[in-house]
Structures are given as structure tokens and as C-alpha cells.
Amino acid sequence: MKLIKAALVTTTLTLLSTSVFASQFGYSAGNIVERLGVRTIKTDAVQTKQEAYQIGLNQLHQLSKDEPVELSKKLKISGVNIDRRQIHLNEGGYVTVEEFMNTDGQINYKGKINVSFHYPERDSNN
């Protein structure tokens, strides 16, 4: 009877300690976390405000049509654990225009495309 109790206690302790060590040192894939981001993309300089708005609007429309992998490149989203096939723009993107003067004293304009986006990322729990 003592031998059976000792064997049972030893087996139980072995199983419990094995699961503790496995969770500490074993591979853990982590959880999926939804990440949010914002980007502002500037257009090339042009001579009129209207032209800057139009170029920005065209680029905003193009971004909304791009495939997720292409979006990750254009928005410069980097990371090892990102699923680039699931990057999406959020609604509410907009265009603003920046006015500036060059070294020749000429006023120029750049369109600024402002977008927000989301994507899943695996969190390693480290």
C-alpha cells in the first residue's frame, strides 16, 4: 500500500511539474491582437491648391482600392508577426493641403492624404 501511494504521489508531482515547465519553456504561439495605425502621405509639390487636392483625392481613392499586401507597402507597416493579407483602411480618410514657399520664393502646395487602418498581429506574450 505504501508503494502504491508513493508511486501515485510521484506520478502526480511529475505530471504537475511537467505542465509547469512546458508552459514556461515550450513554444507559445501567442494571441492575435488588433492593431490600429494612422499615416499621412504627402504628394509631390504642385503650383495650385486645387491640383494638390485633386492629386490627394486620387491617391486616397487608389489606396481604398489597393490589395492589403500593397497597402502594407504604401503605408510602410513593418513587423514580423503581422498578417499582411488582412490590412484594411478604416473609413474617414481625408485630404488636406500644405502650402509652402520654395527657395525661389514661389508658393507651392502638397496634398496630404490622412488615413487610419487596422490589422491583426500575433502577440508573442513576452
Side-chain angles (χ1 to χ4, degrees):
M1 189 68 157
K2 271 187 169 177
L3 186 57
I4 293 174
K5 282 185 180 179
L8 185 59
V9 169
T10 304
T11 303
T12 304
L13 287 175
T14 303
L15 289 174
L16 288 175
S17 59
T18 301
S19 65
V20 168
F21 287 121
S23 66
Q24 285 181 346
F25 302 110
Y27 174 74
S28 174
N31 298 319
I32 301 296
V33 178
E34 190 71 18
R35 301 285 186 204
L36 301 173
V38 293
R39 289 287 185 278
T40 300
I41 301 169
K42 291 185 179 182
T43 67
D44 292 332
V46 293
Q47 293 182 356
T48 68
K49 190 181 281 190
Q50 185 59 35
E51 188 179 4
Y53 272 117
Q54 191 59 51
I55 291 170
L57 185 60
N58 291 344
Q59 287 187 14
L60 179 60
H61 286 305
Q62 183 58 48
L63 283 173
S64 67
K65 294 176 186 176
D66 282 341
E67 294 294 320
V69 174
E70 187 64 27
L71 275 177
S72 74
K73 292 176 188 174
K74 287 183 177 180
L75 299 175
K76 299 179 182 174
I77 302 170
S78 62
V80 178
N81 297 322
I82 295 171
D83 185 352
R84 297 185 191 296
R85 299 166 298 166
Q86 296 189 39
I87 296 170
H88 300 286
L89 289 181
N90 298 329
E91 290 186 21
Y94 60 95
V95 177
T96 58
V97 170
E98 178 181 89
E99 180 180 306
F100 66 97
M101 183 181 290
N102 65 17
T103 57
D104 296 332
Q106 295 174 325
I107 302 290
N108 287 314
Y109 304 90
K110 286 186 180 186
K112 294 170 65 175
I113 301 102
N114 302 279
V115 294
S116 65
F117 55 91
H118 65 276
Y119 58 91
E121 181 176 24
R122 186 169 298 281
D123 185 13
S124 64
N125 291 332
N126 290 332

